[in-house]
Amino acid sequence: MSITPLMPVYPRTAFRPVRGEHCHLIGEDGRRYLDFAAGIAVNALGHSHAGLIGAIQHQAATLMHVSNLYGSPLGEVLAQRLVDLTFADTVFFTNSGAEAVECAIKTARAYHQHVGNNHKFELITFNQAFHGRTLATISASSQEKMHKGFEPLLPGFKYVEFNDLDAVKAAIGPNTAGFLIEPIQGEGGIRAASDDFMKGLRALADEHDLILALDEVQCGYGRSGTFFAYEQYGITPDVVASAKGIGGGFPLGACLATEKAARGMAAGSHGSTYGGNPLAMAAGVAVLDAFAAEDVLANVRDKSAKIVGRLEQFIGNYPELFEEVRGRGLLLGVKLKVEPRGFVAHLRDNHGVLTVSGGDNTLRIVPPLVIDDSHIDEFMDKLSAGAASFPLEPAGQ
Ligand SMILES: *Cc1c(COP(=O)(O)O)cnc(C)c1O
């Protein structure tokens, strides 16, 4: 047998992390790495956060799981806190980002079908988008590399160019149910929607009675410098999918909606066995407690300004390697002039710093939201050593 016991869908590195300490990871061989990947924008509080660990340990010993057939005191607490912090009136908890997006898609369809508009099932989505790996969420993405081998796709998605409002207008038809968009594309290369574009989508949604659903799985939960990225656009969405940072590393996602948008999500219409279980809810509450106690949003804005300032200065030293700095908050990217995977591997293996590659030749910089100035210094030192030693034109090519 040549297949590995772990299904080989990920090309895994030789680096095998076994322990986390705040903003660092330690490998099996004892080597330390500065973690500016954070489990792909997940470990908002870094690793080994005492409050999060304590909440999970306590809840695990008290009650880990019950079904959603029963009342949920902790679920009510977390849902109420999210309602108080956002546009939303109601929340469905999931175990992952793709499930949160899946719920957003179902909510948008059900909104129309609730009043008999069964033909309004199509969501307009955007080129280079990433929404997850379930069949519905790969169908929502235009990226063919995620479709290959898994066709037929789910019908009901129309792809248009990101930040092109005229293309959106042209794509709206009798079957349109709404829009599904990442305000800041993560996987696609840290590309932010323009102000005019997001405001334009809101206006079109109002004009045509469509659902504006945001995928804030990566850009939400403080990552962009506000609790959710939509706040920076001065718009109110109808539905938002959240995950990644929401559990600080514990598997948790959420679909947030207004009362109006959720009008089709009646009793018995949707569900999840694990979704919203007491252990996940305790983790979610602990993350929000830490956000408040440690003023995480202010830290994101402060550290973002510092790191962006330094990156802007720095990239000019290597014009043949770096093109531009992108992103908001601590959802940052440096567009490279080369395919980023080699540079990510070089930084990791030769300089002990973890980053993530993204689409559009982007090096993603998504550290824990609790980094301090010393981590920025360490990052810039390692990045600069990495750039200096990176073989742009390897011998023999
Ligand atoms: C990561 C991500 C998802 C999928 O989340 P999973 O937890 O992997 O299912 C969906 N949308 C966006 C924008 C993401 O970054």
Side-chain angles (χ1 to χ4, degrees), residues 14 21 53 58 66 74 86 110 112 120 133 137 180 188 201 218 239 242 250 265 316 321 324 379:
E21 287 176 8
I53 293 170
H58 175 76
V66 290
L74 274 173
T86 68
H112 295 290
K120 288 182 167 288
R133 296 294 199 142
T137 55
L180 172 64
L201 291 182
Q218 189 158 161
V239 179
S242 178
F250 194 91
M265 302 302 277
L321 181 56
E324 61 167 349
F379 178 73

Short mmCIF file of all heavy atoms in Angstrom, two decimals, residues 14 21 53 58 66 74 86 110 112 120 133 137 180 188 201 218 239 242 250 265 316 321 324 379:
data_model
loop_
_atom_site.label_atom_id
_atom_site.label_comp_id
_atom_site.label_asym_id
_atom_site.label_seq_id
_atom_site.Cartn_x
_atom_site.Cartn_y
_atom_site.Cartn_z
N ALA A 14 7.91 19.05 6.18
CA ALA A 14 8.69 18.21 7.09
C ALA A 14 8.60 18.74 8.51
O ALA A 14 8.82 18.02 9.48
CB ALA A 14 10.15 18.16 6.63
N GLU A 21 3.57 28.06 22.10
CA GLU A 21 3.78 28.96 23.24
C GLU A 21 3.52 30.38 22.77
O GLU A 21 4.35 30.96 22.06
CB GLU A 21 5.22 28.83 23.76
CG GLU A 21 5.47 27.55 24.53
CD GLU A 21 6.93 27.39 24.95
OE1 GLU A 21 7.71 28.35 24.78
OE2 GLU A 21 7.27 26.30 25.44
N ILE A 53 -7.71 28.09 27.61
CA ILE A 53 -7.44 26.73 28.12
C ILE A 53 -8.29 26.44 29.35
O ILE A 53 -8.92 25.39 29.46
CB ILE A 53 -5.95 26.57 28.49
CG1 ILE A 53 -5.08 26.65 27.24
CG2 ILE A 53 -5.71 25.25 29.23
CD1 ILE A 53 -3.59 26.75 27.54
N HIS A 58 -12.42 23.50 32.09
CA HIS A 58 -13.54 23.52 33.02
C HIS A 58 -14.80 22.94 32.38
O HIS A 58 -15.49 22.10 32.97
CB HIS A 58 -13.78 24.95 33.51
CG HIS A 58 -15.00 25.07 34.38
ND1 HIS A 58 -15.02 24.66 35.69
CD2 HIS A 58 -16.25 25.52 34.10
CE1 HIS A 58 -16.23 24.85 36.20
NE2 HIS A 58 -17.00 25.37 35.26
N VAL A 66 -24.17 17.93 24.51
CA VAL A 66 -25.54 17.42 24.54
C VAL A 66 -26.14 17.76 23.18
O VAL A 66 -25.57 18.54 22.43
CB VAL A 66 -26.41 18.06 25.65
CG1 VAL A 66 -25.97 17.60 27.02
CG2 VAL A 66 -26.43 19.57 25.54
N LEU A 74 -25.37 28.08 27.60
CA LEU A 74 -24.13 28.70 27.10
C LEU A 74 -24.30 29.21 25.67
O LEU A 74 -23.75 30.24 25.30
CB LEU A 74 -22.98 27.70 27.15
CG LEU A 74 -22.23 27.59 28.46
CD1 LEU A 74 -21.24 26.43 28.39
CD2 LEU A 74 -21.49 28.90 28.76
N THR A 86 -22.97 42.99 17.00
CA THR A 86 -23.05 43.07 15.53
C THR A 86 -24.43 43.52 15.05
O THR A 86 -25.32 43.81 15.85
CB THR A 86 -22.78 41.69 14.89
OG1 THR A 86 -23.87 40.81 15.21
CG2 THR A 86 -21.47 41.07 15.39
N ALA A 110 -33.60 30.23 1.43
CA ALA A 110 -34.85 30.08 2.20
C ALA A 110 -35.59 31.42 2.33
O ALA A 110 -36.82 31.44 2.42
CB ALA A 110 -34.53 29.51 3.58
N HIS A 112 -36.08 33.62 0.10
CA HIS A 112 -36.97 33.79 -1.04
C HIS A 112 -38.03 32.68 -1.11
O HIS A 112 -39.19 32.95 -1.41
CB HIS A 112 -36.15 33.83 -2.33
CG HIS A 112 -35.24 35.02 -2.41
ND1 HIS A 112 -35.70 36.31 -2.57
CD2 HIS A 112 -33.89 35.12 -2.28
CE1 HIS A 112 -34.67 37.15 -2.58
NE2 HIS A 112 -33.56 36.45 -2.40
N LYS A 120 -35.77 32.12 -7.14
CA LYS A 120 -34.68 33.00 -6.73
C LYS A 120 -33.69 32.21 -5.86
O LYS A 120 -33.74 32.27 -4.63
CB LYS A 120 -35.23 34.20 -5.95
CG LYS A 120 -35.97 35.20 -6.82
CD LYS A 120 -36.45 36.37 -5.98
CE LYS A 120 -36.92 37.53 -6.81
NZ LYS A 120 -35.81 38.23 -7.50
N ARG A 133 -14.58 23.94 1.40
CA ARG A 133 -14.32 22.76 0.57
C ARG A 133 -15.50 21.79 0.48
O ARG A 133 -15.32 20.67 0.00
CB ARG A 133 -13.10 22.02 1.12
CG ARG A 133 -11.82 22.85 1.03
CD ARG A 133 -11.40 23.11 -0.40
NE ARG A 133 -10.00 23.48 -0.46
CZ ARG A 133 -9.17 23.09 -1.42
NH1 ARG A 133 -9.60 22.36 -2.41
NH2 ARG A 133 -7.91 23.47 -1.41
N THR A 137 -19.79 24.94 -1.18
CA THR A 137 -18.85 26.06 -1.09
C THR A 137 -17.79 26.04 -2.20
O THR A 137 -17.32 27.10 -2.60
CB THR A 137 -18.20 26.15 0.31
OG1 THR A 137 -17.57 24.90 0.64
CG2 THR A 137 -19.23 26.48 1.37
N LEU A 180 -22.81 36.71 -2.36
CA LEU A 180 -21.96 36.12 -1.34
C LEU A 180 -20.54 36.60 -1.61
O LEU A 180 -19.98 36.32 -2.67
CB LEU A 180 -22.02 34.58 -1.40
CG LEU A 180 -21.01 33.82 -0.51
CD1 LEU A 180 -21.29 34.09 0.97
CD2 LEU A 180 -21.07 32.32 -0.79
N GLY A 188 -7.61 34.27 -1.79
CA GLY A 188 -7.47 34.82 -3.14
C GLY A 188 -6.35 35.84 -3.27
O GLY A 188 -6.08 36.32 -4.37
N LEU A 201 -23.09 47.09 -3.68
CA LEU A 201 -23.77 45.81 -3.47
C LEU A 201 -24.95 45.98 -2.51
O LEU A 201 -26.03 45.42 -2.73
CB LEU A 201 -22.81 44.76 -2.91
CG LEU A 201 -21.71 44.25 -3.84
CD1 LEU A 201 -20.88 43.17 -3.12
CD2 LEU A 201 -22.28 43.67 -5.14
N GLN A 218 -12.49 34.54 7.31
CA GLN A 218 -11.08 34.91 7.51
C GLN A 218 -10.91 36.36 7.95
O GLN A 218 -10.11 36.67 8.82
CB GLN A 218 -10.28 34.66 6.22
CG GLN A 218 -8.79 34.81 6.40
CD GLN A 218 -7.95 34.09 5.35
OE1 GLN A 218 -6.81 34.39 5.17
NE2 GLN A 218 -8.51 33.12 4.66
N VAL A 239 -26.54 38.77 6.20
CA VAL A 239 -26.04 37.49 6.72
C VAL A 239 -24.51 37.57 6.75
O VAL A 239 -23.92 38.12 5.82
CB VAL A 239 -26.48 36.31 5.81
CG1 VAL A 239 -25.93 34.99 6.33
CG2 VAL A 239 -28.00 36.25 5.67
N SER A 242 -19.05 33.40 9.92
CA SER A 242 -17.85 33.61 10.72
C SER A 242 -17.27 32.25 11.10
O SER A 242 -17.99 31.26 11.16
CB SER A 242 -18.22 34.41 11.98
OG SER A 242 -17.09 34.58 12.81
N PHE A 250 -10.33 26.45 18.77
CA PHE A 250 -11.36 25.42 18.96
C PHE A 250 -12.27 25.44 17.73
O PHE A 250 -12.64 26.51 17.28
CB PHE A 250 -12.17 25.67 20.24
CG PHE A 250 -12.97 24.47 20.63
CD1 PHE A 250 -12.45 23.52 21.49
CD2 PHE A 250 -14.24 24.27 20.08
CE1 PHE A 250 -13.18 22.39 21.81
CE2 PHE A 250 -14.96 23.13 20.40
CZ PHE A 250 -14.44 22.19 21.27
N MET A 265 -35.65 30.34 8.02
CA MET A 265 -34.93 29.34 8.83
C MET A 265 -35.78 28.93 10.04
O MET A 265 -35.47 29.25 11.19
CB MET A 265 -33.57 29.88 9.25
CG MET A 265 -32.67 30.27 8.07
SD MET A 265 -32.36 28.93 6.91
CE MET A 265 -31.00 28.10 7.73
N GLY A 316 10.94 48.03 -0.60
CA GLY A 316 11.68 48.79 -1.61
C GLY A 316 13.12 48.31 -1.75
O GLY A 316 13.76 48.54 -2.79
N LEU A 321 11.83 41.17 -5.82
CA LEU A 321 11.10 40.13 -5.07
C LEU A 321 9.70 40.59 -4.65
O LEU A 321 8.73 39.83 -4.74
CB LEU A 321 11.92 39.73 -3.83
CG LEU A 321 11.36 38.63 -2.93
CD1 LEU A 321 11.09 37.35 -3.71
CD2 LEU A 321 12.34 38.33 -1.78
N GLU A 324 3.98 44.76 -3.63
CA GLU A 324 3.23 45.71 -2.81
C GLU A 324 2.73 45.06 -1.54
O GLU A 324 2.66 43.84 -1.43
CB GLU A 324 2.04 46.28 -3.61
CG GLU A 324 1.04 45.22 -4.03
CD GLU A 324 -0.28 45.80 -4.54
OE1 GLU A 324 -0.53 47.00 -4.38
OE2 GLU A 324 -1.08 45.02 -5.07
N PHE A 379 9.82 39.41 13.50
CA PHE A 379 9.35 39.12 12.15
C PHE A 379 10.15 39.87 11.10
O PHE A 379 10.60 39.29 10.09
CB PHE A 379 7.86 39.45 12.02
CG PHE A 379 7.33 39.22 10.63
CD1 PHE A 379 7.12 37.93 10.16
CD2 PHE A 379 7.06 40.29 9.77
CE1 PHE A 379 6.65 37.70 8.87
CE2 PHE A 379 6.59 40.07 8.49
CZ PHE A 379 6.39 38.77 8.03
#
